[in-house]
Amino acid sequence: MPGKRAFLEGAGPLVTTLTPLPGARLAELLDGYRAAGRAPRRRALVLAVAIAVLALLAGSVAEVDPTRLWRHLGDFFGYFDRLTALEAGGGRVWTDPAEWFWGWRKWGLLLADTLLIAYVGTAIGAAGGFLLSFVAAANLVSNRWMRGTARRFLEFCRTVPDIVFALIFVIAFGLGPVPGVLAIAIHTMGALGKLFSEVVENIDLKPVEGATAAGASWVATLRFAVLPQVLPNYASYALLRFEVNVRQASVLGFVGAGGIGQDLIEAIRKFYYNDVAAILVLIIVTVMLIDLGTERLRHRLIGAMERSR
Amino acid sequence: MSTARILTLREAALADRAGLAARHPRVFRRFTAARLGVAFVAATALGLLAFGLWRLEFSPGRIAGGFGQLLHFLGLMLPPDPGSTSRALLILRGLAETLAIAFLGTLLAAALAFPLGFLAARNTSAGRVVHFLSRRALDSIRGVDALIWALIWVSVVGLGPFAGVLAIMTSDIGTFGKLFSEAIETADRRAVEGVTSAGGGRLAGIRFGVLPAVLPVMAGHVLYMFESNTRSSTIIGIVGAGGIGLMLSEMIRTLEWGVVSFIVLLILVAVAVIDAISGRLRAALAG
């Protein structure tokens, strides 16, 4: 060590002074820099103007009114103030959790129902997407008509929002969680079917060729050559979708399709501020816990997938 | 080896199955720890599914009746028909509102989330407390669905598309903040180090080191969210926050199935067009 130090000190100061460039050369360089920056800058300006024009147009269509927002902005924060002030008087809601969460038994059950709706919907939808993904994958099905039909069907299922399905199903199946589950299932089938078929299209085809060469049927090829490759990815996507569906299930009650949404919209419409706050807190906490849990599971799945390679 | 002509590997293996099983007992073992584990997980999942179906009051009669009703509705939906020209114009106006809500909501959310993204990113945040707090705040905003925000904004600024813009904006701030901060965290650190070693301050490091790397990523996210918001802004009308959703839910409730299918078709076309445009823009950004 001392030897190295002595060596470094012996080398003298590392910093040398820079001599400034001559004026003409400097001006030339600066000009070059500006010229290079001009074209992107002009493009950015055109883009900004285009966005501004579109925004003004959209603003007039959407009846945007900043003065109205300004006048009512206090109401927005006042709303949260009222959400957290005990209606019975006497301070903030968190000073009296027993009073705040008076309906925890009912809300807990509804929340559990909401999770069940999301789970059953995800399971049914994933099963449907699973079956259709093999039909919609370009490398497994050579019949163009079949593939195209499956793809259009999946596209339809995921483009129509699940709450629209729920609205229609509520009329067909009656109020309650059944239409909610089916709406989530159909939307999930569309979303997962597409993701699943993309996974299938990216698999290694060598095992498939091997199975075919050994005389396996189409189903046996799927089972032994395709499935082992895609299953971890499928499970990961299904878990991700479950997260999304928990959020969705919490609002499907708005249209009468079961879960905690029904109580939430009633509380909002009837101005039961403390109930709104309590239900929102319950939903947010549940969603966060589910997110954490599924994230951990997905990491384990991805880890297992990489180990098996 | 038998004298019969063997066609495939599979047939050869099947002919010698007993011999194979004797030579490789481990492969043919029926119960392994891994298999039992898989069976256990599958049984639990199926059990939960069965419990859910029971608890949520699924019954074969109800399902069959419901699907019968759906088929009946489907018959009434054809052909799609807006009914009258004045109603068609109203529907088109609703669609325009929906697109305007999605565009403005996304734009405002992106503008507001831009600084938040820097606060919530580990490498550009102003300290660990700020980083932690802004992360949790963004998570809470994301935990509340756009429909709930729409309800809250309707009670603040009144019915109409303006509440929809504000709802999309609020719910997207959470998503954008998270996406932006992740983009910033994964940005190459060497560019910032280069700026710092040339004598640039912290802000200069962000402006010349981070921004050029993350702006295209952010623009991609914004376009993607615009696509997604076109979908969500079709439904916030259900709670009175403007757009085509109000008309749609009215028509479903009054059982005007021809109009319903017309509106759904219109939404499908609009979403496809937006997806195509934005997909092309995103490809241009990436390339």
Side-chain angles (χ1 to χ4, degrees):
Chain A
M1 276 325 243
K4 191 176 178 189
R5 188 165 192 171
F7 168 74
L8 279 177
E9 277 166 357
L14 281 168
V15 180
T16 52
T17 48
L18 292 166
T19 44
L21 289 166
R25 178 87 186 111
L26 197 64
E28 197 181 313
L29 278 176
L30 271 177
D31 278 350
Y33 178 73
R34 282 196 197 106
R38 208 167 289 142
R41 201 160 285 186
R42 192 178 306 138
R43 235 180 304 148
L45 195 69
V46 169
L47 189 68
V49 169
I51 290 179
V53 168
L54 272 177
L56 281 178
L57 188 71
S60 75
V61 172
E63 297 164 19
V64 167
D65 184 354
T67 59
R68 185 153 53 124
L69 177 64
W70 185 245
R71 260 184 289 128
H72 293 283
L73 200 61
D75 293 357
F76 180 70
F77 295 107
Y79 191 86
F80 288 94
D81 177 53
R82 253 177 296 170
L83 281 184
T84 55
L86 273 179
E87 275 159 54
R92 295 283 152 189
V93 278
W94 43 83
T95 56
D96 193 356
E99 166 77 20
W100 187 21
F101 285 99
W102 65 273
W104 63 273
R105 226 179 272 268
K106 181 179 62 165
W107 294 330
L109 265 181
L110 280 172
L111 210 55
D113 274 357
T114 308
L115 290 181
L116 263 186
I117 292 174
Y119 174 74
V120 176
T122 312
I124 298 177
F130 177 81
L131 292 177
L132 282 177
S133 70
F134 297 114
V135 184
N139 51 352
L140 295 180
V141 173
S142 44
N143 185 332
R144 268 175 78 199
W145 285 106
M146 217 161 113
R147 206 173 66 212
T149 315
R151 284 196 177 173
R152 291 292 90 71
F153 178 66
L154 290 174
E155 210 173 273
F156 171 78
C157 287
R158 69 168 178 275
T159 307
V160 178
D162 41 11
I163 209 153
V164 173
F165 281 125
L167 271 170
I168 297 175
F169 290 172
V170 160
I171 296 172
F173 293 88
L175 292 169
V178 173
V181 169
L182 292 176
I184 285 189
I186 288 207
H187 197 75
T188 303
M189 183 170 74
L192 284 184
K194 179 186 182 239
L195 290 172
F196 285 0
S197 69
E198 277 169 6
V199 172
V200 170
E201 281 173 1
N202 285 323
I203 57 168
D204 183 5
L205 274 179
K206 274 176 233 150
V208 178
E209 282 159 14
T212 319
S217 65
W218 193 71
V219 175
T221 310
L222 282 190
R223 164 68 187 86
F224 292 104
V226 180
L227 217 50
Q229 295 191 55
V230 299
L231 222 46
N233 260 325
Y234 276 28
S236 171
Y237 279 137
L239 280 172
L240 206 65
R241 196 68 217 174
F242 175 63
E243 272 179 47
V244 176
N245 285 344
V246 171
R247 287 194 177 83
Q248 286 305 319
S250 67
V251 295
L252 282 183
F254 285 14
V255 297
I260 202 164
Q262 194 118 30
D263 268 43
L264 178 59
I265 197 169
E266 236 166 73
I268 292 178
R269 292 240 160 101
K270 291 180 180 165
F271 302 107
Y272 297 152
Y273 291 104
N274 292 172
D275 290 10
V276 174
I279 295 175
L280 280 183
V281 166
L282 283 175
I283 291 179
I284 292 174
V285 169
T286 312
V287 166
M288 273 186 192
L289 287 179
I290 295 279
D291 281 10
L292 278 178
T294 52
E295 197 180 324
R296 199 159 287 179
L297 263 177
R298 276 192 295 122
H299 278 301
R300 275 180 63 180
L301 270 175
I302 293 167
M305 200 159 58
E306 261 150 27
R307 251 178 284 126
S308 72
R309 276 217 178 120
Chain B
M1 276 283 165
S2 64
T3 48
R5 205 161 63 91
I6 285 166
L7 290 172
T8 63
L9 218 56
R10 181 166 182 267
E11 281 165 14
L14 282 178
D16 193 27
R17 193 182 182 285
L20 280 173
R23 265 171 278 144
H24 306 281
R26 288 187 55 189
V27 180
F28 282 85
R29 209 163 45 184
R30 196 151 295 192
F31 299 109
T32 60
R35 274 193 189 173
L36 284 179
V38 169
F40 176 72
V41 171
T44 318
L46 281 179
L48 192 57
L49 182 63
F51 171 73
L53 289 176
W54 168 77
R55 161 93 194 148
L56 302 175
E57 294 160 3
F58 271 78
S59 69
R62 194 170 174 196
I63 300 298
F67 276 108
Q69 283 270 18
L70 273 186
L71 277 183
H72 177 61
F73 294 162
L74 212 59
L76 293 177
M77 278 186 190
L78 298 170
D81 173 27
S84 62
T85 326
S86 62
R87 199 190 266 157
L89 284 177
L90 261 181
I91 292 171
L92 283 178
R93 153 127 198 126
L95 187 68
E97 267 181 27
T98 291
L99 293 180
I101 289 171
F103 182 77
L104 266 189
T106 316
L107 201 65
L108 289 174
L112 290 175
F114 185 73
L116 284 176
F118 284 93
L119 284 184
R122 204 173 302 122
N123 49 348
T124 53
S125 188
R128 274 175 94 175
V129 180
V130 177
H131 165 68
F132 180 82
L133 284 181
S134 39
R135 265 290 154 94
R136 291 293 87 77
L138 291 175
D139 280 351
S140 312
I141 295 175
R142 258 179 333 121
V144 178
D145 194 85
L147 266 185
I148 301 176
W149 283 118
L151 273 171
I152 294 176
W153 279 114
V154 162
S155 67
V156 172
V157 295
L159 294 167
F162 188 34
V165 172
L166 293 169
I168 294 282
M169 177 193 90
T170 332
S171 76
D172 270 15
I173 287 179
T175 320
F176 274 137
K178 184 179 186 297
L179 289 174
F180 286 0
S181 67
E182 276 167 5
I184 295 166
E185 277 176 6
T186 51
D188 195 349
R189 271 211 345 267
R190 281 172 296 183
V192 184
E193 280 162 12
V195 173
T196 319
S197 69
R202 211 176 142 71
L203 271 178
I206 290 176
R207 164 68 185 85
F208 295 102
V210 181
L211 261 191
V214 296
L215 266 185
V217 181
M218 287 181 175
H221 286 318
V222 171
L223 282 171
Y224 181 76
M225 284 308 285
F226 176 50
E227 287 174 43
S228 148
N229 283 337
T230 326
R231 290 171 171 81
S232 29
S233 60
T234 55
I235 54 165
I236 51 177
I238 290 172
V239 296
I244 206 167
L246 178 66
M247 195 77 176
L248 181 58
S249 66
E250 276 311 300
M251 291 299 121
I252 292 175
R253 285 192 183 126
T254 51
L255 309 181
E256 302 247 16
W257 296 113
V259 190
V260 170
S261 60
F262 178 77
I263 296 179
V264 169
L265 217 61
L266 211 59
I267 292 178
L268 289 179
V269 171
V271 167
V273 169
I274 296 284
D275 279 10
I277 296 174
S278 139
R280 191 163 291 183
L281 283 176
R282 274 193 291 144
L285 266 176

